[in-house]
Amino acid sequence: KIMNNSEMSLKELEQNGLSNDQHTNELESAQFKPKYTTMNELGYNNNEYKPIFSREHLKSNNNDISSIKINLTKEEQETFDEIKKAINNRDIFDKPVIVRCAGGWVRDKLLDCSSDDVDLAVDTMEGDKFGECLQKYFKTI
């Protein structure tokens, strides 16, 4: 009987020489050995190897991160102002919610680069519910 892989149990997959992850068997095999295990094997000695991260790209060399300034575009400022108004509107958001910017937008701002979108993280409701509330708010303005 020919079966679709999605119809086979994990045991049946293994009996037929298949696995649910093409690399699982390789990593569990005693024959698997990584090509390089240390920086020295890659050709770096301890004096040459330096961490990749530095603060040179940041706008401030001060170790106090509170001194880092993020410049918002006019559109970003207006958007954040409207979101603040929305989350304070108890007719739409029935309980307080904290909204934080996250992801690549934060990284791009720290690097003083432009960004096409903003990821938002919320703490007291699911993301889809937050989106529905924002839509409801924007229909009222």
Side-chain angles (χ1 to χ4, degrees), residues 37-83:
T37 58
T38 67
M39 294 304 290
N40 285 339
E41 289 177 9
L42 282 170
Y44 293 99
N45 68 40
N46 290 336
N47 296 330
E48 293 175 334
Y49 177 68
K50 304 255 188 291
I52 295 170
F53 178 77
S54 75
R55 293 182 175 262
E56 293 171 14
H57 62 283
L58 298 176
K59 294 180 184 182
S60 169
N61 290 328
N62 187 341
N63 285 332
D64 178 14
I65 63 169
S66 67
S67 67
I68 297 173
K69 303 291 183 221
I70 292 181
N71 297 316
L72 301 178
T73 65
K74 182 181 177 197
E75 183 180 27
E76 290 166 338
Q77 185 64 57
E78 290 171 353
T79 302
F80 293 150
D81 288 345
E82 286 301 326
I83 291 172

Side-chain angles (χ1 to χ4, degrees), residues 86-90 92-99 122-125 130:
I87 64 176
N88 288 311
N89 184 325
R90 290 293 160 251
I92 295 176
F93 287 86
D94 57 353
K95 58 185 173 182
V97 61
I98 296 173
V99 181
V122 294
D123 69 342
T124 57
M125 64 177 51
F130 177 75

